């Protein structure tokens, strides 16, 4: 079936013709019959829309007698027409039938999955802008939920409006005037009068408004009231004809917008397309789930979240849609867990007596949290199915010992273990730590290190030993997952700092054995809502207790206090302490940052710390250089280490008690906390100085949280509030920033728990169901990324 091609939207046609006219040097050759004839035809189309009759008249007036004007006047006319064009873009033109869109799908193929170009009011230019917001389909447009509500229902008289108050005022336009105080600044000032007084609405550099707001017409304006000595005014208020009640006089949804797509445009697009497609919004949640959780019917929830009549109703709609998102996502989590239960794994046992003997030879006492976590892991490992467990713990909580104990259990049961770390420094540190832990254990497992910087001959010897079972625990980096690494009997793997590894790398490690037990460790505490989402198929162990109390004092100081800080550092160094001076290393400016750190080291060495031994550590150094510096630091042959963020993860130097973080505003909260975790590791009194000038409210909030909190879990929660889930711990790469549109990962833990429980019950009772297909359609392509 053929479909007649409909003309492009009016703004698009006007834009093209004006561009051609400019290119022709204003020769009136852009379109057959001349520009005036073309504009008059467009104006007739606009007349069909009642609210745009003034714009239609203005266009006709502007272009009158164009063919007889000299070139300078033609240029001015074209500029005025471009102002009118911007007005049409800004107000979100409701498209007449003849210009609704460039194409339509056949009626029988219309669906919510239709590309957004088929939405009412969307042409090619607007489609591109919507795509920027992640809106690809009609469904994306209708599920582009408001971020918040703005209460514009409070209508006041001019005399009642107080300074600083945000209100709606309705009145007649008594006068309108354009003022140009200087080049590049045009002010459009309108006097709006009700029966108690006059308020002036002022707009800056929006010349098209003079053709839209006419005198003696009643309008509504919304904005912040400014009371001066001589008059009352609003700057850049939202406005509409007084009888419209779309943008004023009610609760108005506020959407995340982008340049070229104003709130008004988005609201009108959603309103028109909700009306056109509401019959396609099918019910998803079964009645037996919906009723006990007091959920709205789906189409009603869509209507009430976009067009609420009250705050409570809007929140109920949002909760309904948040529950739906969590419920469908957790169906995937439940299916994943179900698959894991069905897989046959290895049963790894250790006797209580043997474990107690191991504990007794450790050079320290385990905390209750460590013992609890080990028991949870041990209970998983004894079951003949693969373990999936997340071990969370703050900096210094003793995760390595827990992982070492799990490796020991695997060894006692006759299996090999692997520990994969993100950097060679951290891998080497784990290696040294495990050698120390097992040094006094009878029949201890053989531990070996495999990293890329080893000589090829050494690597070959290690690979052969692993293959024939002569090595029990292999620690390394990505070198562990190379094709030429084969294990004789791998049963258990630890992935440290797991968010630094991709799904593929984890899968490659799992393939080195058959249905192996997996323990992932995160040194960055993760808020509960995130763990239930990202780690829904994992059991979770938490180390919420430290072997000793942290005694780190943190100060946020301005740059002009730097000299005083360095004097304090010198005094501490003289007490036989060690210090870190940390510089940021941001990818976009890596060369400059590296240069700054290198120059700073040279300057500090020659001036401030000339009596002390100063060294530099950064990521561009080869592995041998890094190891050499770290060894010197451990042996106390270095007093001050100038470093980039490479020390963020896992550096363990017991005598380091001072840290100075330069340009601390350029670090994320989690990074700052990880850096601070490098000092005071033996429980001694330590000092951290964050030197920074906060350049934004977010930066100030981040530094205040860092200064006032030592608890990593508290910091993670605050970080989530400040930045949102998309960026937290780099989770934007997992798609979490776009996975949920109605749900709030900060506030909706209660909904998450209810939806999770309902989803698990549902999957158990419904092996085959359309909702499982809905999960695959909606989240399947990103689920693997959003779970690891």
């Amino acid at each position: 079936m053929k479909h007649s091609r409909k003309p492009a939207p009016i703004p698009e046609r006007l834009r093209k013709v004006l561009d051609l006219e400019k290119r022709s040097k204003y020769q009136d050759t852009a379109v057959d019959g001349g520009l005036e004839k073309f504009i008059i035809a467009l104006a007739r189309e606009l007349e069909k829309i009642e609210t745009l009759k003034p714009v239609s008249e203005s266009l006709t007036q502007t272009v009158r007698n164009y063919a007889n004007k000299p070139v300078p006047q033609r240029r001015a006319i074209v500029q005025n027409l471009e102002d009118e064009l911007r007005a049409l873009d800004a107000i979100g033109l409701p498209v007449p039938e003849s210009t609704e869109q460039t194409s339509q799908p056949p009626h029988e193929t219309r669906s919510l999955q239709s590309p957004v170009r088929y939405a009412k009011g969307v042409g090619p230019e607007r489609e591109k802008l919507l795509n920027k917001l992640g809106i690809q389909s009609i469904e994306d447009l209708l599920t582009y939920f408001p971020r918040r509500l703005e209460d514009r229902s409070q209508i006041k008289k001019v005399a009642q409006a107080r300074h600083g108050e945000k209100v709606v005022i309705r009145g007649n336009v008594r006068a309108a005037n354009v003022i140009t105080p200087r080049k590049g600044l045009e002010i459009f000032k309108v006097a709006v009068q009700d029966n108690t007084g006059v308020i002036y609405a002022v707009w800056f550099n929006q010349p098209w408004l003079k053709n839209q707001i006419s005198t003696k017409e009643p309008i509504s304006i919304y904005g912040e009231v400014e009371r001066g000595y001589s008059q009352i005014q609003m700057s850049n208020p939202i406005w509409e004809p007084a009888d419209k009640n779309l943008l004023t006089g009610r609760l108005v949804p506020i959407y995340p917008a982008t340049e070229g797509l104003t709130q008004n445009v988005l609201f009108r697009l959603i309103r028109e397309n909700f009306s056109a497609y509401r019959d396609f919004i099918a019910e998803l949640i079964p009645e037996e789930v919906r009723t006990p959780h007091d959920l709205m019917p789906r189409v009603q929830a869509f209507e009430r979240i976009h067009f609420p009549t009250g705050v409570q109703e809007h929140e109920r709609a949002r909760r309904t849609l948040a529950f739906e998102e969590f419920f469908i996502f957790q169906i995937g989590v439940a299916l994943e867990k179900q698959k894991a239960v069905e897989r046959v794994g290895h049963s790894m046992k250790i006797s209580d007596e043997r474990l107690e003997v191991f504990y007794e030879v450790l050079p320290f006492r385990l905390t209750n949290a460590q013992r609890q976590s080990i028991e949870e892991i041990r209970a998983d490992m004894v079951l003949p199915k693969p373990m999936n467990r997340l071990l969370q713990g703050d900096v210094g909580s003793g995760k390595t010992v827990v992982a070492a104990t799990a490796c020991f259990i695997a060894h006692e049961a006759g299996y090999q273990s692997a520990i994969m770390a993100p950097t060679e420094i951290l891998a080497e540190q784990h290696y040294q730590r495990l050698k120390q832990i097992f040094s006094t254990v009878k029949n201890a497992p053989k531990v070996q290190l495999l990293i890329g910087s080893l000589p090829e001959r050494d690597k070959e010897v290690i690979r052969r030993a692993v293959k024939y079972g002569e090595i029990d625990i292999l620690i390394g980096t990505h070198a562990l997952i190379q094709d030429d690494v084969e294990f004789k009997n791998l049963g258990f793997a630890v992935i440290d700092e797991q968010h630094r590894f991709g799904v593929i790398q984890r899968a490659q490690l799992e393939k080195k054995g058959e249905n192996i037990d997996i323990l992932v460790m995160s040194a960055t505490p993760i808020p509960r809502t995130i763990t239930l989402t990202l780690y829904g198929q994992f059991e979770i162990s938490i180390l919420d207790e430290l072997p000793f109390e942290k005694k780190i004092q943190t100060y946020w100081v301005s740059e002009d206090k730097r000299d005083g800080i360095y004097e304090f550092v010198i005094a501490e160094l003289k007490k036989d302490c060690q210090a870190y001076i940390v510089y940021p290393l941001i990818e976009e400016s890596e060369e400059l940052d590296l240069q700054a750190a290198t120059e700073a080291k040279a300057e500090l060495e020659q001036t401030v710390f000339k009596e002390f031994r100063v060294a530099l550590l950064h990521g561009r150094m080869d592995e041998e250089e890094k190891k050499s510096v770290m060894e010197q630091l451990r042996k106390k042959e270095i007093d001050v280490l100038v470093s980039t963020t490479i020390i963020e993860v896992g550096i363990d130097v017991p005598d380091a008690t001072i840290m100075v973080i330069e340009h601390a505003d350029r670090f994320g909260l989690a990074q700052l906390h990880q850096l601070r975790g490098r000092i005071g590791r033996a429980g001694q009194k330590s000092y951290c100085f964050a030197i920074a000038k906060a350049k934004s409210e977010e930066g100030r909030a981040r530094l205040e949280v860092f200064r006032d909190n030592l608890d990593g879990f508290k910091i993670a929660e605050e970080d989530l509030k400040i930045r949102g889930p998309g960026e937290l711990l780099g989770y934007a790469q997992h798609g979490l920033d776009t996975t949920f549109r109605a749900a709030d990962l900060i506030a909706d833990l209660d909904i998450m728990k209810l939806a999770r429980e309902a989803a698990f019950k549902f999957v158990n009772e419904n092996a085959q169901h359309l909702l499982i297909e809905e999960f695959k359609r909606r989240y399947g392509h990103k689920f693997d990324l959003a779970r690891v």
Side-chain angles (χ1 to χ4, degrees):
M1 175 181 170
K2 287 187 178 178
H3 298 272
S4 59
R5 183 179 173 83
K6 294 186 179 179
I10 290 171
E12 191 182 333
R13 283 182 277 155
L14 181 54
R15 187 176 287 107
K16 282 181 180 174
V17 170
L18 294 180
D19 285 345
L20 285 170
E21 184 64 10
K22 286 195 288 187
R23 277 189 231 149
S24 75
K25 309 286 188 203
Y26 309 98
Q27 296 304 305
D28 201 19
T29 57
V31 65
D32 289 343
L35 186 63
E36 185 173 359
K37 183 179 176 183
F38 170 78
I39 295 292
I40 288 168
L42 279 190
R44 284 187 188 132
E45 288 183 45
L46 287 171
E47 278 177 1
K48 296 173 187 175
I49 304 164
E50 187 64 34
T51 56
L52 293 178
K53 279 185 179 175
V55 179
S56 168
E57 291 166 12
S58 174
L59 283 170
T60 309
Q61 192 95 18
T62 301
V63 80
R64 185 169 293 153
N65 211 19
Y66 182 83
N68 298 323
K69 304 277 187 189
V71 167
Q73 286 184 32
R74 287 184 186 178
R75 184 187 292 113
I77 288 168
V78 169
Q79 285 172 348
N80 284 336
L81 289 170
E82 286 180 322
D83 287 343
E84 300 283 359
L85 175 62
R86 280 193 285 276
L88 289 173
D89 280 336
I91 63 176
L93 179 62
V95 187
E97 195 61 36
S98 63
T99 62
E100 190 176 274
Q101 59 250 346
T102 54
S103 57
Q104 271 289 339
H107 184 75
E108 60 273 16
T109 63
R110 283 176 72 207
S111 77
L112 293 179
Q113 277 70 58
S114 297
V116 76
R117 66 175 173 274
Y118 294 135
K120 292 186 76 173
V122 176
E125 291 303 313
R126 194 164 277 171
E127 181 188 16
K128 287 177 195 167
L129 293 170
L130 288 166
N131 289 168
K132 274 189 191 173
L133 293 173
I135 298 172
Q136 306 288 337
S137 66
I138 306 288
E139 181 181 42
D140 290 338
L141 180 63
L142 298 185
T143 56
Y144 196 71
F145 299 130
R147 184 174 285 163
R148 60 186 174 87
L149 283 184
E150 192 162 76
D151 186 357
R152 299 180 190 167
S153 60
Q154 195 179 14
I155 301 169
K156 286 204 170 181
K157 298 289 187 183
V158 172
Q160 297 172 322
R162 295 196 302 272
H163 179 76
E165 192 177 24
K166 278 193 162 187
V167 296
V168 174
I169 288 176
R170 284 181 179 159
N172 289 312
V173 176
R174 289 303 179 205
N177 191 20
V178 176
I179 308 158
T180 311
R182 59 179 169 79
K183 191 177 179 182
L185 177 61
E186 185 174 295
I187 301 170
F188 181 48
K189 190 170 185 178
V190 171
V192 180
Q193 184 180 38
D194 66 11
N195 60 0
T196 68
V198 174
I199 187 169
Y200 292 92
V202 177
W203 290 273
F204 300 94
N205 289 334
Q206 297 180 49
W208 56 85
L209 289 177
K210 62 179 179 277
N211 298 319
Q212 294 176 17
I213 299 175
S214 57
T215 52
K216 299 184 181 170
E217 289 289 322
I219 66 169
S220 297
I221 56 174
Y222 170 78
E224 188 175 315
V225 177
E226 302 164 24
R227 280 186 175 270
Y229 292 111
S230 57
Q231 63 183 30
I232 312 168
Q233 77 170 38
M234 278 185 193
S235 297
N236 292 316
I238 287 153
W239 78 279
E240 66 180 350
D243 59 350
K244 280 295 170 194
N245 273 16
L246 284 176
L247 304 175
T248 61
R250 59 193 291 276
L251 293 170
V252 177
I254 302 299
Y255 299 90
T258 187
E259 192 176 347
L261 275 178
T262 62
Q263 292 290 327
N264 303 2
V265 172
L266 282 165
F267 181 68
R268 285 188 170 102
L269 283 174
I270 290 166
R271 186 187 62 185
E272 288 187 20
N273 285 284
F274 174 74
S275 178
Y277 284 87
R278 68 177 295 152
D279 292 343
F280 292 85
I281 300 171
E283 196 59 69
L284 291 177
I285 307 294
E287 184 66 34
E288 64 268 23
V289 176
R290 210 169 68 234
T291 303
H293 292 98
D294 191 30
L295 305 180
M296 284 179 168
R298 192 164 185 247
V299 71
Q300 186 187 354
F302 270 69
E303 186 168 18
R304 292 297 169 235
I305 199 168
H306 288 301
F307 321 112
T309 54
V311 175
Q312 287 181 331
E313 180 187 63
H314 171 82
E315 178 55 18
R316 188 178 167 216
R318 190 198 69 79
R319 285 182 69 88
T320 296
L321 294 164
F323 185 97
E324 177 190 296
E325 289 180 325
F326 284 147
F327 181 76
I328 292 169
F329 190 89
Q330 290 293 333
I331 281 174
V333 173
L335 288 169
E336 187 75 13
K337 273 204 153 184
Q338 207 173 65
K339 268 191 243 167
V341 169
E342 289 163 5
R343 295 205 320 261
V344 177
H346 312 287
S347 175
M348 300 184 227
K349 299 177 185 175
I350 189 170
S351 68
D352 291 346
E353 295 76 22
R354 181 70 174 137
L355 196 55
E356 282 303 323
V357 168
F358 173 70
Y359 289 161
E360 283 167 14
V361 298
L362 289 174
F364 44 78
R365 282 187 62 193
L366 294 176
T367 64
N368 291 331
Q370 283 173 319
R371 281 183 173 261
Q372 174 67 29
S373 293
I374 289 166
E375 283 308 310
E376 289 166 355
I377 291 165
R378 185 183 173 195
D380 280 357
M381 292 178 80
V382 80
L383 297 174
K385 64 184 184 102
M387 172 176 76
N388 263 331
R389 186 167 283 276
L390 167 68
L391 178 63
Q392 270 195 274
D394 206 348
V395 180
S397 59
K399 291 180 295 296
T400 308
V401 179
V402 174
T405 308
C407 290
F408 183 66
I409 293 169
H411 168 66
E412 289 289 303
Y415 290 94
Q416 291 171 297
S417 299
I419 300 178
M420 188 160 74
T423 65
E424 291 202 0
I425 287 180
L426 189 52
E428 175 122 18
Q429 195 162 283
H430 282 324
Y431 172 60
Q432 298 295 346
R433 192 92 172 98
L434 262 69
K435 276 178 64 178
Q436 178 198 359
I437 288 169
F438 293 125
S439 61
T440 55
V441 176
K442 193 176 178 183
N443 298 323
K446 297 180 187 71
V447 184
Q448 189 51 268
L449 179 70
L450 180 63
I451 51 179
S453 61
L454 286 174
E456 189 54 42
R457 187 184 301 164
D458 292 356
K459 284 194 272 193
E460 183 52 44
V461 170
I462 293 167
R463 284 193 289 259
R464 192 180 300 115
V466 169
K467 183 176 180 178
Y468 291 107
E470 296 161 12
I471 290 170
D472 302 305
I473 303 171
L474 186 64
I475 300 169
T477 54
H478 297 81
L480 296 187
I481 57 177
Q482 300 305 310
D483 291 341
D484 52 6
V485 176
E486 292 178 51
F487 289 82
K488 183 182 180 185
N489 193 20
L490 182 66
F492 173 64
V494 179
I495 301 171
D496 193 16
E497 286 298 314
Q498 58 73 37
H499 65 274
R500 291 165 178 258
F501 292 106
V503 178
I504 294 165
Q505 290 155 332
R506 176 185 154 176
Q508 285 172 323
L509 183 58
E510 288 187 53
K511 283 176 188 169
K512 296 293 180 184
E514 190 175 341
N515 290 338
I516 65 174
D517 286 357
I518 293 282
L519 179 69
V520 297
M521 302 200 300
S522 175
T524 310
I526 307 164
R528 183 76 177 140
T529 42
I530 303 287
T531 58
L532 281 173
T533 308
L534 287 181
Y535 301 95
Q537 82 282 27
F538 282 76
E539 301 302 326
I540 299 169
S541 293
I542 296 177
L543 296 176
D544 53 4
E545 183 183 356
L546 296 176
F548 43 76
E549 183 189 353
K550 286 183 186 175
K551 296 176 184 172
I552 304 173
Q553 286 180 248
T554 305
Y555 302 90
W556 167 24
V557 293
S558 56
E559 294 180 3
D560 59 353
K561 303 282 196 306
R562 184 180 282 111
D563 289 348
I565 290 165
Y566 281 144
E567 282 175 21
F568 177 83
V569 174
I570 289 168
E572 291 298 305
L573 289 172
K574 286 177 178 175
K575 297 176 189 174
D576 204 27
C577 296
Q578 288 173 291
Y580 294 112
I581 315 289
V582 185
Y583 283 80
L585 190 58
I586 311 300
E587 200 174 320
E588 298 81 55
S589 56
E590 191 169 339
E591 293 290 345
L592 285 172
D593 288 339
L594 204 52
Q595 187 181 335
T598 308
E599 287 172 0
K601 182 258 180 185
E603 186 180 338
L604 290 169
E605 195 171 30
Q606 291 162 20
T607 55
V608 181
F609 301 124
K610 58 188 175 187
E611 301 172 42
F612 303 96
R613 296 160 297 179
V614 182
L616 177 68
L617 183 69
H618 60 75
R620 292 277 187 88
M621 294 163 66
D622 65 44
E623 294 302 326
E624 285 305 316
E625 282 183 283
K626 288 180 196 169
K627 283 181 202 166
S628 172
V629 171
M630 289 310 303
E631 195 55 36
Q632 289 177 68
L633 196 61
R634 284 193 195 97
K635 291 179 178 176
K636 297 199 74 171
E637 293 168 4
I638 292 171
D639 303 306
V640 179
L641 181 67
V642 177
S643 173
T644 60
T645 46
I646 190 171
I647 68 157
E648 170 193 349
V649 177
I651 304 298
D652 190 4
V653 179
D655 291 320
T657 55
I658 303 163
M659 178 170 285
V660 178
I661 306 173
E662 292 281 358
H663 309 293
D665 53 305
R666 291 173 64 186
F667 294 92
L669 243 180
Q671 249 188 334
L672 287 169
H673 183 60
Q674 284 295 310
L675 285 168
R676 179 172 57 189
R678 301 308 109 211
I679 59 174
R681 293 183 73 82
Q684 67 275 59
K685 191 168 184 180
S686 301
Y687 304 90
C688 179
F689 300 95
I691 300 179
K693 179 183 179 183
K695 297 179 179 68
S696 66
E697 278 306 308
E698 184 182 311
R700 172 173 289 280
R702 200 162 57 232
L703 288 162
E704 284 174 351
V705 169
F706 176 61
R707 179 194 63 201
D708 299 340
N709 292 280
L710 286 172
D711 182 343
F713 287 92
K714 172 72 174 167
I715 285 171
E717 295 287 352
E718 292 299 321
D719 201 13
L720 186 60
K721 288 177 191 172
I722 293 167
R723 294 196 296 160
E727 290 179 55
L728 186 74
L729 305 179
Y731 284 143
Q733 66 182 326
H734 299 298
L736 244 196
D737 50 345
T738 54
T739 296
F740 303 116
R741 292 187 164 189
D744 180 339
L745 279 166
I746 301 167
D748 289 340
L749 179 58
D750 60 330
I751 305 175
M752 166 77 88
K753 285 177 176 173
L754 292 171
R756 179 179 168 84
E757 186 183 326
F760 274 63
K761 183 171 183 281
F762 177 82
V763 167
N764 285 336
E765 294 171 359
N766 300 272
Q768 298 295 322
H769 194 280
L770 289 175
L771 268 180
I772 292 172
E773 291 308 308
E774 175 64 13
F775 157 74
K776 289 175 184 172
R777 182 191 75 80
R778 196 185 289 197
Y779 300 125
H781 66 291
K782 64 168 71 170
F783 184 66
D784 275 344
L785 291 177
R787 71 188 176 93
V788 185

